[in-house]
Amino acid sequence: MASHTLALENYEDDLLARLYDSEYDSFDEDLSFYQEHLVPGEVLELACGSGRLGARLAVAGRRVVGLDLSAAMIRRARKRHLPLPGCEWLLGDMRHFDLGRLFANIAIAFSGLGFLVDAPDRRACLRCCSRHLRPGGRLILDLLPAGAGGTDGTLAGGSIRDPVTGALFAKKTRITREPEIVTIRYCWQSEAMTLTQTLHLKKLTRAQIEAELEEAGLFALEYYGDYRSNPLTDRSPRLLIVATTSKADAA
């Protein structure tokens, strides 16, 4: 039986950052999509976490700047990927940042923008993207589409070992789907403690995100429904958008 419970709303806790990293760092199904659709030049990844995607892009020869609101995630990215040339990991809020330079590419992977459930927050983020994207550059968004299916309920997530202490945590995930919001409740339990976390994810339609992009001075070039670049349909599992700075290019 766990001796105490810690409820967390973000990834500020170092243990939670390590558990997240242990579970998701091996995920690379989206890598080929970014390699195909990024233009030559530097990549700014927002909500970069511990560097799962950015580090892989750096290994492939890209210069990458990663920005995340979680100090624990940035500490982990700096520690794990320090030997990689061409990587920079910055602490910052993707709704309000000014890096003083332009980028050829900006990426917000793994539903990162969707965790900004309030439209003013998403608009603020996209305005920052517009100010940091060079003319003709690419913004790539990976979102959960409004039509995404799935059922409510509790899922057993197996076991995850803390790479620092060796403690084994059993994970359960409870998902509640509403028309526009998916609520995800995580629970990690070891012999010594229980960690819980609740996240809210906004499901977006193509029309919604297109309007928010255009308000920020950005324009959708292409839409895809999965990481294999298949066309977007009503049954697609992902809403992947490649956007740019020029309305003429998007026409």
Side-chain angles (χ1 to χ4, degrees):
M1 181 67 65
S3 62
H4 67 282
T5 298
L6 181 61
L8 303 164
E9 292 300 322
N10 52 41
Y11 289 100
E12 279 304 317
D13 182 81
D14 285 298
L15 172 57
L16 185 54
R18 295 196 303 269
L19 294 177
Y20 177 91
D21 208 24
S22 295
E23 182 172 7
Y24 291 107
D25 186 60
S26 62
F27 180 85
D28 62 359
E29 293 177 18
D30 56 350
L31 178 61
S32 61
F33 181 86
Y34 288 94
Q35 290 174 323
E36 178 181 353
H37 295 286
L38 294 171
V39 297
E42 193 172 21
V43 180
L44 170 62
E45 186 189 1
L46 303 179
C48 67
S50 59
R52 176 195 67 84
L53 175 62
R56 285 177 167 86
L57 292 173
V59 168
R62 296 273 184 173
R63 291 191 60 84
V64 175
V65 175
L67 182 140
D68 201 281
L69 185 61
S70 165
M73 285 293 198
I74 291 298
R75 283 194 296 270
R76 187 145 183 82
R78 289 171 177 168
K79 180 178 181 180
R80 294 190 66 233
H81 307 304
L82 182 63
L84 274 178
C87 283
E88 186 178 1
W89 308 104
L90 304 177
L91 181 65
D93 188 334
M94 68 179 179
R95 298 167 297 181
H96 310 288
F97 65 93
D98 183 359
L99 303 183
R101 65 193 211 251
L102 300 180
F103 294 83
N105 302 278
I106 301 176
I108 311 179
F110 226 30
S111 298
L113 187 68
F115 286 109
L116 300 179
V117 296
D118 295 325
D121 287 335
R122 291 194 304 277
R123 293 190 185 107
C125 174
L126 292 173
R127 286 194 296 270
C128 282
C129 290
S130 183
R131 290 194 294 269
H132 286 78
L133 193 63
R134 79 178 189 196
R138 294 292 184 268
L139 168 66
I140 299 182
L141 304 175
D142 176 4
L143 299 164
L144 183 68
T151 57
D152 293 358
T154 301
L155 308 174
S159 298
I160 306 167
R161 191 172 297 279
D162 178 6
V164 172
T165 67
L168 191 64
F169 286 80
K171 181 185 177 184
K172 290 184 179 180
T173 304
R174 180 167 182 78
I175 298 176
T176 305
R177 301 175 190 271
E178 298 176 8
E180 295 187 0
I181 302 290
V182 176
T183 299
I184 309 166
R185 296 178 175 87
Y186 295 115
C187 177
W188 296 265
Q189 188 170 29
S190 72
E191 292 183 353
M193 68 184 307
T194 297
L195 292 172
T196 65
Q197 182 189 38
T198 300
L199 300 175
H200 303 285
L201 179 60
K202 175 74 171 179
K203 296 193 290 185
L204 291 160
T205 66
R206 173 173 168 167
Q208 282 175 311
I209 192 62
E210 192 170 87
E212 292 179 6
L213 283 166
E214 291 193 7
E215 185 178 295
L218 298 164
F219 304 93
L221 281 172
E222 300 158 342
Y223 294 89
Y224 299 98
D226 59 34
Y227 299 130
R228 296 182 298 279
S229 297
N230 286 316
L232 179 68
T233 71
D234 291 341
R235 301 176 66 86
S236 293
R238 306 302 302 172
L239 171 54
L240 293 152
I241 302 164
V242 181
T244 189
T245 57
S246 170
K247 191 171 186 177
D249 289 342

